[in-house]
């Protein structure tokens, strides 16, 4: 037990959702006769859920800031049909269609951010109105028809890394990507260890560091093997590559930038943040606009994978994204959450949904089970808080709280602001 405490930072509940994800995978791997961890199923799982995971990245920032966005499904559907029509009727090439969709998402996000940040209407009401408005626009613009898209555009939603180099029995680009990921994890871990030593901070024992790296790199290499050995013509999916890039970018923004700290500060205590110099209106405007941009991207990826836009695209997506964020450890009251946590939460829901389908469970029972999982995850965290214990969400945010800035800096963390309040 002491070894586990050292390995997982003093409390194994810190990685509760990761344990839950691993347990689900093992459970379904056993009871589906090994069909869960097959290359084809893993590739389909990522392809079928990438747009929800992209929405979860934006949604976690919205929830950290203390808001919620109910319009993302409708915005995604409206952007998707608009891009499909623009490419068909205006002759836009696929890359201009993508740019058009991102700009349209930014305009929609600016509209909703204006009402939320500067007019002062709660985001719940603004985005509820947006859900109705943009669902109506989706059906009005598309005339409730199916609008096909070009094969070039379909690549961003259903494409794979191409085959290059000698015939090794694997997709060489996928293998290279996996090796780069392993090297990145090792280098970042060694740099962090060296930096902590130079600052005189406590560092874990070497065997702890090595064991962590072995576990993480082993998981990456096994996933690489699955993606690289799929049926001919498949490999690591392009939506997965887009998702990986977004996770890296947004994790950096949330953890290492002034804007990220301001988002946590506003969600933790808006009034105290404003007294400390944080411009809460700009922060709220930015998170709402960013959410709609990512919703537009998710909508385009879904349309590209489906080969056409339709009148019922986006229905219920906002609920899946919100569920992923809360299962991943975000707090209902704001101020707590991580990008990685939201991805883990989304994968928990994706694996659960996929595994139940493989077992032949009906759609009605699947919805019941997913709802109970969401309720149990949040209830467990709330219970730990009421018992005076560290919650999973609190533990996930422990690293953030440790990175307090110097008193003379103008961007205090949530803990500093709470003390001032």
């Amino acid at each position: 037990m002491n070894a586990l405490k050292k390995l997982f930072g003093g409390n194994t509940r810190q990685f509760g959702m990761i344990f839950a994800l691993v347990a689900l995978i093992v459970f379904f791997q056993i009871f589906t006769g090994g069909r869960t961890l097959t290359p084809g199923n893993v590739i389909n799982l990522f392809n079928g859920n990438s747009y929800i995971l992209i929405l979860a990245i934006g949604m976690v920032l919205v929830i950290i800031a203390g808001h919620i966005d109910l319009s993302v499904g409708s915005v995604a559907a409206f952007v998707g049909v608009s891009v499909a029509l623009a490419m068909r009727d205006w002759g836009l090439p696929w890359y201009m269609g993508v740019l058009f969709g991102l700009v349209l998402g930014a305009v929609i996000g600016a509209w909703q951010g204006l009402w939320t940040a500067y007019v002062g209407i709660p985001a719940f009401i603004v985005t509820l109105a947006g859900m109705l408005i943009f669902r109506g626009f989706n059906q009005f613009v598309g005339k409730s028809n199916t609008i096909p898209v070009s094969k070039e555009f379909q690549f961003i939603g259903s494409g794979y890394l191409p085959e290059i180099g000698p015939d090794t029995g694997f997709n060489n680009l996928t293998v290279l990507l996996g090796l780069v990921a392993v090297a990145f994890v090792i280098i970042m871990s060694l740099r962090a260890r060296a930096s902590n030593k130079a600052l005189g901070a406590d560092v874990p024992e070497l065997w702890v560091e090595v064991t962590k790296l072995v576990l993480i790199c082993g998981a990456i290499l096994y996933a690489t093997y699955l993606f690289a050995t799929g049926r001919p013509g498949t490999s690591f999916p392009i939506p997965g590559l887009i998702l990986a890039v977004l996770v890296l970018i947004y994790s950096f923004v949330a953890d290492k930038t002034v804007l990220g700290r301001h988002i946590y500060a506003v969600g933790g205590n808006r009034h105290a943040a404003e007294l400390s110099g944080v411009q809460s209106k700009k922060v709220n405007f930015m998170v709402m606009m960013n959410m709609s941009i990512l919703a537009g991207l998710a909508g385009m990826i879904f349309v590209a994978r489906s080969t056409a836009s339709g009148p019922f695209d986006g229905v219920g997506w906002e609920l899946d994204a919100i569920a992923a964020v809360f299962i991943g450890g975000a707090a209902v009251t704001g101020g707590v959450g991580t990008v990685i946590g939201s991805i883990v939460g989304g994968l928990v829901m994706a694996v659960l949904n996929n595994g139940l389908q493989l077992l032949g469970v009906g759609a009605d029972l699947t919805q019941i089970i997913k709802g109970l999982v969401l309720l149990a995850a949040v209830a467990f965290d709330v219970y730990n808080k009421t018992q005076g214990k560290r919650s999973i969400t609190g533990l996930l945010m422990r690293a953030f709280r440790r990175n307090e800035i110097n008193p003379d800096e103008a961007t205090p963390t949530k803990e500093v602001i709470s003390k001032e309040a």
Side-chain angles (χ1 to χ4, degrees):
M1 184 58 69
N2 288 332
L4 284 176
K5 287 183 178 181
K6 289 182 179 180
L7 187 59
F8 296 107
N11 196 317
T12 55
R13 287 186 288 112
Q14 184 174 0
F15 297 93
M17 286 301 105
I18 297 178
F19 291 156
L21 176 60
V22 173
L24 279 175
I25 292 173
V26 171
F27 174 84
F28 287 123
Q29 177 71 0
I30 295 172
F31 286 94
T32 61
R35 288 182 293 165
T36 298
L37 290 179
T38 59
N41 187 62
V42 172
I43 291 172
N44 289 335
L45 188 146
F46 269 82
N47 270 335
N49 293 277
S50 58
Y51 62 95
I52 295 297
L53 297 177
I54 290 173
L55 289 176
I57 294 174
M59 189 65 74
V60 71
L61 297 181
V62 172
I63 290 174
I64 288 171
H67 306 295
I68 203 151
D69 193 333
L70 299 177
S71 69
V72 293
S74 297
V75 171
F78 175 57
V79 171
V81 72
S82 298
V83 169
L85 285 170
M87 291 190 296
R88 188 193 70 179
D89 298 342
W90 301 347
L92 292 181
W94 71 268
Y95 52 88
M96 290 301 296
V98 172
L99 181 61
F100 171 71
L102 294 176
V103 171
L104 180 58
V107 171
I108 294 171
W111 162 262
Q112 299 197 124
L114 177 68
W115 288 102
T116 300
Y118 294 100
V119 178
I121 300 176
F124 179 88
I125 301 300
V126 172
T127 57
L128 179 60
M131 179 175 68
L132 301 174
I133 292 169
F134 297 111
R135 175 59 57 187
F137 271 130
N138 171 57
Q139 296 178 352
F140 174 77
V141 170
K143 296 180 172 51
S144 297
N145 293 324
T146 300
I147 315 296
V149 294
S150 65
K151 289 188 177 298
E152 293 81 6
F153 186 79
Q154 292 174 22
F155 182 74
I156 69 170
S158 57
Y160 301 94
L161 293 178
E163 297 281 355
I164 62 170
D167 184 7
T168 60
F170 303 93
N171 179 270
N172 294 328
L173 275 181
T174 300
V175 173
L176 179 61
L177 182 64
L179 294 177
V180 169
V182 168
F184 177 79
V185 168
I186 294 174
I187 291 172
M188 293 303 294
S189 178
L190 293 177
R191 286 185 60 184
R193 184 179 179 86
S195 177
N196 288 335
K197 276 188 175 181
L199 293 172
D202 292 334
V203 294
E205 297 175 29
L206 183 60
W207 74 266
V208 173
E209 200 76 38
V210 171
T211 305
K212 281 184 179 180
L213 286 176
V214 169
L215 291 174
I216 295 173
C217 294
I220 293 174
L221 290 175
Y222 183 65
T224 300
Y225 168 77
L226 292 176
F227 284 116
T229 56
R231 61 180 174 80
T234 64
S235 60
F236 193 75
I238 298 301
L241 188 61
I242 295 172
L243 176 66
V245 171
L246 290 175
V247 168
L248 290 176
I249 293 173
Y250 280 90
S251 293
F252 176 80
V253 170
D255 297 337
K256 304 296 183 181
T257 67
V258 172
L259 176 61
R261 295 187 179 194
H262 284 186
I263 292 172
Y264 282 102
V266 170
N269 190 321
R270 180 174 65 85
H271 297 295
E274 290 174 347
L275 291 174
S276 301
V278 176
Q279 297 179 324
S280 63
K281 291 182 179 180
K282 288 186 178 180
V283 170
N284 291 330
F285 180 84
M286 289 297 296
V287 296
M288 297 303 295
M289 184 169 71
N290 175 74
M291 181 70 260
S292 291
I293 293 173
L294 291 181
L297 177 60
M300 288 187 286
I301 288 177
F302 180 82
V303 167
R305 182 172 184 267
S306 304
T307 72
S309 70
F312 299 107
D313 293 351
V315 175
W317 290 8
E318 59 278 346
L319 303 181
D320 289 333
I322 292 169
V325 172
F326 285 135
I327 289 175
V332 179
T333 53
V336 175
T338 62
V339 173
I340 297 297
S342 67
I343 296 299
V344 172
L347 288 175
V348 167
M349 296 297 283
V351 170
L352 182 63
N353 194 57
N354 175 261
L356 292 174
Q357 288 179 351
L358 291 176
L359 290 175
V361 177
D364 49 357
L365 188 56
T366 297
Q367 294 298 322
I368 293 172
I369 294 173
K370 288 167 65 177
L372 291 173
V373 168
L374 172 61
L375 186 61
V378 178
F380 181 68
D381 196 62
V382 171
Y383 172 77
N384 282 325
K385 290 178 182 178
T386 59
Q387 296 300 308
K389 302 175 183 178
R390 282 191 179 275
S391 66
I392 293 174
T393 55
L395 288 165
L396 288 171
M397 289 306 300
R398 195 174 182 181
F400 171 75
R401 293 193 181 103
R402 283 176 176 171
N403 293 329
E404 291 188 26
I405 61 173
N406 295 326
D408 56 336
E409 292 186 80
T411 54
T413 62
K414 179 189 168 188
E415 185 173 337
V416 176
I417 291 172
S418 298
K419 291 176 182 177
E420 293 177 356

